[in-house]
Amino acid sequence: MDKNARSFGIRLAAIFLAVSGVLVIGGYVYLSDRQAEGRAAAQQEMSAVADLKLRQISNWRAERLSDARFFARARFVAEDIQPFLNQPDSQAARSAVEHWLRLLKAEDRYYAVLVLDGRLEPRLALSDSARESDAFMGGLLQKALETRDVAMSDLIQDQTSGLIHLDLMFPIFEDADPERGAPIAAVLLKLDARHFLFPLIQVWPTPSQSAETLLVRRDGETVLFLNDLRHRAGSALSLRVPLDLPELPAAKVLRGQTNVLEGVDYRGVPVVAAGRMVPGTGWGMVAKMDREEIYAPLRRQMAAVGLVLGSLLVASGLLVALLWRQRSAQMLQLAKDDLARANAELERRVGERTAQLRESVAELEAFSYSLSHDLRAPLRAISNFSAMVLEDHRDKLGVDAALLEKVLSAAKRMDQLIRDVLALSRISRQEMGTETVDLERLVRKVIQERPELQAPRAQVCIEGSLPAVRGHEASLTQCLANLLGNAVKFVALGVIPQVRLFAEANGDRIRLWVADNGIGIAPEAREKIFEMFQRLHSQEEYEGTGIGLAIVKRAVERMGGKVGVESEPGKGSRFWVELRAVAPRES
Ligand code: ADP
């Protein structure tokens, strides 16, 4: 059963471990898959947004360039400009130019449109008054003249107004012929980046807390941020960070690394980014999103999966515990049932045996009774009649008188034997109640009742006082009578028996000593004499039945005590009886 329980436990534990293993490994694989997927998706999104923005910016640039190019090459432009330059006061010439200049400006696409003459003097300007017009334009014109095409400036910040603008300049050639014509004028278009370019950059195609696109350019050994940043106001053309920052995606792009970049952005926040260079410009573009935002759903998912896994583990643990408990309860019940059955069986057997024993005791008692009465009656008749014949006819009997005396003594001895056997049997079956017995009183009574224990035939003295003990009074009386009887009997011829009684306390025990001046006992006989019918002497030397000490031993042991003897042949014997002392509160 125990073995079964163990193998059941091992099986349960193995199943639990296997289930947990599968759950944990499965969960881990699932989560790392999800993580890889999430990461790939985020990188894809960044790339896609970067491409989209790149396309939008490029388109926007191309549109601006082609707008300008249209006017740069249009014949009517050259045809209108020439008269206007030649006759500055002609209203007609001026309004002809103004007409297409307005078309070019297209409401507020450009905040200023200027016509410059050969000396870079503005000759005509359409300008939103609030806005500053920049004077610096020589470099741009230079470039436009060299390429004989539209030149686009970088982003420029006006120091006084803070305006960030981007300029387009195109020369106008004689006969509108960019190949051979001499340049006669130039048109400058000024564009507010905050109005047109930055919104284009800043709009993110999907809702996001942290995503942004940004433009940067290299400025010496620094990265210059071109637009206003989502997470930092007023950064356009003013925020600079070292180009060699290893983790900054914007720096990475300018150092030539594009595509997917993971790094730490200008705020020190970990981001997933994609970088591109904008063709035809020195601009680097970065589309990025905080790693936190990307991984938050993933983390939520992880937490959910963890929770589910944990619950599954706990549930399977509980299940195992439950099974185990059920099993244990079953086993316990089985064991209890077994025990109850065994108990019932035991009780039944004890009952049976007790009944048998009672029967035997009853039989024994009946037998003892018949012995004491039926057997002793004829014995008494024999001894009585022998005594009568001896008394009346001793003279006539002559030598036969001695024979008859032998018959008489044998009958007496037989009677003594029967009485001793009866005493032993009584002691063996008698209930030994534990009463308090005053030893001293008992000893005195025994001495008083037996002349052979009294002067002048013997000297029996009590040394000190004898305490009370726990025992059975009648049995103890018998024991003392036997011990004292032996003490005065087994003495050498002509010696007056001297017996001393004294008591010794030993823990909760009292040892009563009976010391005589008799013949003593050989060492090898000291155990034997307590057995039934064991005698060391013949009937002629010392009378007796060999039952007295057996009675003492049996009685004392039944009272929970012990007996023993110390002796040396020729130097007397000291028999002892150890009994339970009376506890203080009992006395
Ligand atoms: P009984 O006295 O009837 O012979 P017991 O059982 O009383 O039988 O004693 C057994 C034997 O032990 C005695 O026959 C005797 O040899 C020896 N014995 C008993 N008491 C003493 C004693 N006080 N001194 C010497 N021997 C003893």
Side-chain angles (χ1 to χ4, degrees):
M1 189 136 121
D2 203 30
K3 217 168 144 192
N4 277 351
R6 194 167 328 125
S7 83
F8 178 72
I10 290 172
R11 268 206 309 272
L12 266 190
I15 290 173
F16 178 68
L17 281 181
V19 168
S20 323
V22 167
L23 285 179
V24 167
I25 293 171
Y28 178 78
V29 168
Y30 174 75
L31 284 179
S32 37
D33 265 14
R34 303 293 312 151
Q35 188 165 23
E37 265 174 38
R39 196 191 183 95
Q43 292 176 345
Q44 257 169 26
E45 184 182 344
M46 291 311 112
S47 272
V49 171
D51 286 337
L52 174 75
K53 289 290 157 191
L54 186 67
R55 222 171 21 250
Q56 286 177 345
I57 294 170
S58 298
N59 287 347
W60 176 84
R61 271 190 86 237
E63 274 172 28
R64 296 288 75 71
L65 287 171
S66 70
D67 275 2
R69 207 165 277 134
F70 171 79
F71 285 93
R73 309 261 165 95
R75 195 169 287 279
F76 65 87
V77 172
E79 283 170 2
D80 288 349
I81 285 276
Q82 196 68 65
F84 167 65
L85 289 176
N86 293 345
Q87 308 148 38
D89 300 327
S90 157
Q91 192 54 43
R94 169 180 277 272
S95 47
V97 171
E98 259 178 11
H99 173 71
W100 52 257
L101 220 49
R102 204 162 278 121
L103 287 178
L104 182 55
K105 186 168 180 288
E107 298 295 328
D108 61 351
R109 178 176 296 156
Y110 303 102
Y111 68 88
V113 183
L114 293 87
V115 176
L116 311 170
D117 63 13
R119 292 189 310 280
L120 279 183
E121 287 298 324
R123 298 293 294 274
L124 183 63
L126 289 184
S127 175
D128 301 351
S129 56
R131 286 168 177 162
E132 168 80 9
S133 72
D134 200 315
F136 175 74
M137 53 203 106
L140 197 60
L141 181 66
Q142 187 74 34
K143 195 173 151 202
L145 287 173
E146 265 167 24
T147 58
R148 294 186 153 252
D149 196 5
V150 182
M152 187 181 266
S153 78
D154 214 320
L155 290 163
I156 303 156
Q157 183 157 37
D158 187 89
Q159 294 308 320
T160 39
S161 65
L163 179 87
I164 295 174
H165 58 97
L166 188 143
D167 302 345
L168 286 111
M169 176 85 85
F170 58 88
I172 293 167
F173 297 97
E174 227 173 9
D175 302 328
D177 180 1
E179 307 290 303
R180 285 174 296 275
I184 49 175
V187 174
L188 179 65
L189 306 172
K190 295 175 86 69
L191 182 140
D192 183 349
R194 284 207 171 91
H195 205 54
F196 281 101
L197 179 61
F198 292 172
L200 188 73
I201 295 167
Q202 280 154 352
V203 170
W204 192 268
T206 54
S208 159
Q209 299 295 316
S210 66
E212 69 177 325
T213 344
L214 52 88
L215 285 179
V216 288
R217 103 173 160 230
R218 189 177 170 151
D219 190 18
E221 283 309 301
T222 61
V223 176
L224 177 62
F225 287 80
L226 300 182
N227 61 321
D228 285 320
L229 297 170
R230 177 171 193 163
H231 306 289
R232 187 173 296 182
S235 55
L237 288 179
S238 72
L239 178 65
R240 274 167 219 275
V241 294
L243 184 65
D244 56 5
L245 275 186
E247 288 302 315
L248 187 77
K252 284 185 187 180
V253 173
L254 292 180
R255 289 201 301 261
Q257 277 173 271
T258 48
N259 286 329
V260 171
L261 307 163
E262 293 217 355
V264 177
D265 76 353
Y266 55 90
R267 298 164 296 161
V269 174
V271 293
V272 174
R276 301 283 185 271
M277 286 304 291
V278 182
T281 67
W283 300 346
M285 192 199 62
V286 174
K288 66 175 183 61
M289 192 183 262
D290 289 3
R291 205 139 62 178
E292 178 62 33
E293 183 179 345
I294 291 167
Y295 290 137
L298 207 65
R299 212 163 300 143
R300 273 197 297 279
Q301 210 173 30
M302 272 178 167
V305 169
L307 203 72
V308 168
L309 274 186
S311 316
L312 279 176
L313 272 180
V314 168
S316 60
L318 282 178
L319 193 72
V320 164
L322 197 75
L323 282 176
W324 178 250
R325 254 185 60 173
Q326 245 174 22
R327 170 82 181 203
S328 301
Q330 246 174 26
M331 307 271 267
L332 195 69
Q333 193 53 49
L334 277 176
K336 272 187 188 162
D337 291 352
D338 277 0
L339 197 67
R341 258 199 303 282
N343 265 342
E345 173 65 15
L346 198 65
E347 245 163 57
R348 192 185 61 75
R349 280 197 207 162
V350 167
E352 241 170 44
R353 292 282 148 80
T354 311
Q356 281 172 359
L357 214 59
R358 277 213 190 96
E359 232 166 78
S360 307
V361 168
E363 272 169 24
L364 197 67
E365 270 170 2
F367 177 65
S368 307
Y369 185 83
S370 70
L371 262 187
S372 60
H373 288 85
D374 304 355
L375 218 56
R376 284 179 72 197
L379 258 184
R380 262 201 303 278
I382 291 171
S383 52
N384 285 348
F385 288 130
S386 305
M388 276 164 61
V389 170
L390 264 179
E391 204 169 299
D392 295 347
H393 307 287
R394 185 178 284 273
D395 304 342
K396 290 178 216 156
L397 283 173
V399 263
D400 290 339
L403 279 177
L404 207 57
E405 266 173 357
K406 281 204 169 122
V407 171
L408 191 62
S409 105
K412 276 190 182 150
R413 185 169 143 67
M414 179 84 166
D415 190 50
Q416 182 61 45
L417 248 174
I418 291 172
R419 271 189 287 148
D420 281 358
V421 169
L422 281 176
L424 183 64
S425 113
R426 192 170 53 243
I427 290 225
S428 302
R429 63 194 157 81
Q430 200 163 36
E431 286 291 332
M432 291 276 166
T434 46
E435 8 172 22
T436 299
V437 181
D438 181 351
L439 270 185
E440 189 154 337
R441 183 177 60 77
L442 218 61
V443 169
R444 288 192 193 289
K445 195 177 90 183
V446 170
I447 295 172
Q448 208 185 358
E449 282 171 358
R450 275 152 235 249
E452 72 265 29
L453 299 179
Q454 298 163 12
R457 290 167 64 183
Q459 283 178 8
V460 178
C461 68
I462 299 171
E463 283 181 4
S465 65
L466 302 181
V469 293
R470 307 279 301 164
H472 182 249
E473 177 157 342
S475 304
L476 263 180
T477 309
Q478 175 94 59
C479 291
L480 285 170
N482 290 2
L483 286 174
L484 287 168
N486 281 350
V488 298
K489 182 163 67 171
F490 294 102
V491 288
L493 209 62
V495 173
I496 298 193
Q498 289 180 339
V499 183
R500 297 180 299 120
L501 287 120
F502 55 93
E504 238 174 42
N506 180 13
D508 62 344
R509 302 266 145 177
I510 300 292
R511 191 175 269 207
L512 174 70
W513 290 89
V514 180
D516 64 36
N517 62 338
I519 54 174
I521 304 160
E524 65 278 6
R526 276 173 213 153
E527 289 286 315
K528 224 164 64 176
I529 53 173
F530 290 98
E531 289 168 24
M532 204 145 104
F533 303 125
Q534 291 294 335
R535 310 197 67 234
L536 304 179
H537 306 281
S538 69
Q539 196 61 30
E540 283 69 36
E541 286 175 286
Y542 297 103
E543 272 191 358
T545 58
I547 295 175
L549 287 181
I551 290 176
V552 173
K553 185 172 157 77
R554 182 79 53 90
V556 169
E557 282 177 355
R558 290 209 62 206
M559 281 181 262
K562 283 193 252 176
V563 292
V565 64
E566 291 175 1
S567 175
E568 238 178 273
K571 290 194 177 167
S573 312
R574 290 175 305 283
F575 280 83
W576 56 263
V577 169
E578 204 173 77
L579 295 160
R580 281 191 286 147
V582 177
R585 58 188 151 75
E586 291 176 282
S587 53

